Amino acid sequence: IRERHRDYYLQLAYRSEEAWSGPRQVYWHVRMRHEHDNIRVALDYCLNTPGQVLSGLKLLSSLWFMWVACGLAREGRLYLEKTLELSPEPSPERCKALWVLSYIHSAQGDITGAIAAAEQCSADAVRVGDSGAVILATKMLGTAAFLQNDLHKASALLGVAIEFHKSGRELNPGLLPSIVELSMVLLMQGDPGEAETLLRDCITVCTQRGELWLRSYAIYALASVHQAMGQTTEAMTNAREALRLKRYFHDVLGIGLAIEVVARQALEAGQPELASRLMGGGQANWRTFGMPQLGSPFFNAEHDRCVKECKSLLGEQEHEKAFAAGKKLGLEELIELALGEQESDDRLPQD
């Protein structure tokens, strides 16, 4: 019975992965979150039954979107690390699990871990002849380079991933995340115009395919572009739209990024106390998933600059008070505050 149970959930994981980048994305998020306990039972069977480790790797890696997109990075990382230890020999299943682990490491801000997993994936993939895994390992190394501010390397590696996946057969996690990350690299290199062009093309593809999760990241990145260009109204509108989409998926990482943009725009609108509260809430909720600002020098510098300006306008004591109040907010409360949905005298204006 436990074996049949495992087989059912393995097939369900395959179906959810296959459908993830399409119009029923929210359905599959909700469905797999509802099946969370059953998935744990199936994984425990794989880990504790001789000869079933490869099935565990298949189940874990097919559910990459649950670990990266749906706020469950810590659990996915623990399961993957344990299962990979039990399966040390190179195999296609191990290669996929390694690039998924690299993706999770990056999402949590553990860049050293991300690079190690991606490099191991690439080495194993060469040994077993898995060219697809080599390309996805290349993409993950590009992500790590982007987070390290190694922009030339990031541009080259992400460009390879985009070129390989440009047919659009595998939107996630190959093509669309690479496009969004490359647009951020362009922004960091001082080319917001080219970044905006890339992002609008990405949003068009997402809209055509009914893809919402990566669309929310593209809209967030577009908000960052508008912010850099001094287009405050557009930046706020897009950051809020990204949040509205991300709340469907409990995407803690993406929510943290979008909250930073909303906080900056609140500051620009003359609401430093609100900006401090938003940043406090963003940091506290982000820590339930991984390292705030992804451990990135670029994102950390943006955050620190906003904090410094809030302290300058409010005074350090008032800033700390507002920041501490924000830390008490749950994720949904934080989103409501950022969207102007909370009843408050100093809430942000409605769109």
Side-chain angles (χ1 to χ4, degrees), residues 46 52 73 118 337 342:
C46 293
Q52 299 298 323
L337 180 63
Q342 282 193 357

Side-chain angles (χ1 to χ4, degrees), residues 153-168:
K153 183 177 181 180
S155 181
L157 294 173
L158 293 171
V160 168
I162 291 169
E163 184 66 23
F164 184 84
H165 292 293
K166 67 181 180 181
S167 66

Side-chain angles (χ1 to χ4, degrees), residues 3 10 42 48 56 127 133 143 157 189 217 221 223 239 251 255 276 296 314 316 332 349:
E3 184 175 329
L10 184 56
N48 295 300
R127 289 180 63 183
T143 300
L157 294 173
Q189 289 175 323
Y217 274 96
D251 182 1
I255 289 165
S276 295
S296 159
L314 291 172
E316 187 154 351
E332 185 58 30

Side-chain angles (χ1 to χ4, degrees), residues 283-298:
Q283 298 302 284
N285 281 279
W286 210 328
R287 290 186 187 282
T288 68
F289 182 90
M291 187 181 297
Q293 284 75 247
L294 294 152
S296 159
F298 174 78

Side-chain angles (χ1 to χ4, degrees), residues 277-334:
R277 271 198 291 149
L278 287 167
M279 285 190 292
Q283 298 302 284
N285 281 279
W286 210 328
R287 290 186 187 282
T288 68
F289 182 90
M291 187 181 297
Q293 284 75 247
L294 294 152
S296 159
F298 174 78
F299 292 122
N300 273 322
E302 291 290 307
H303 173 79
D304 292 345
R305 186 157 47 248
C306 196
V307 167
K308 184 178 179 180
E309 290 179 31
C310 285
K311 287 181 177 179
S312 176
L313 290 167
L314 291 172
E316 187 154 351
Q317 187 173 350
E318 286 301 310
H319 162 74
E320 293 297 341
K321 181 180 175 182
F323 196 89
K327 288 171 70 173
K328 297 176 183 178
L329 297 173
L331 196 65
E332 185 58 30
E333 292 174 311
L334 177 63

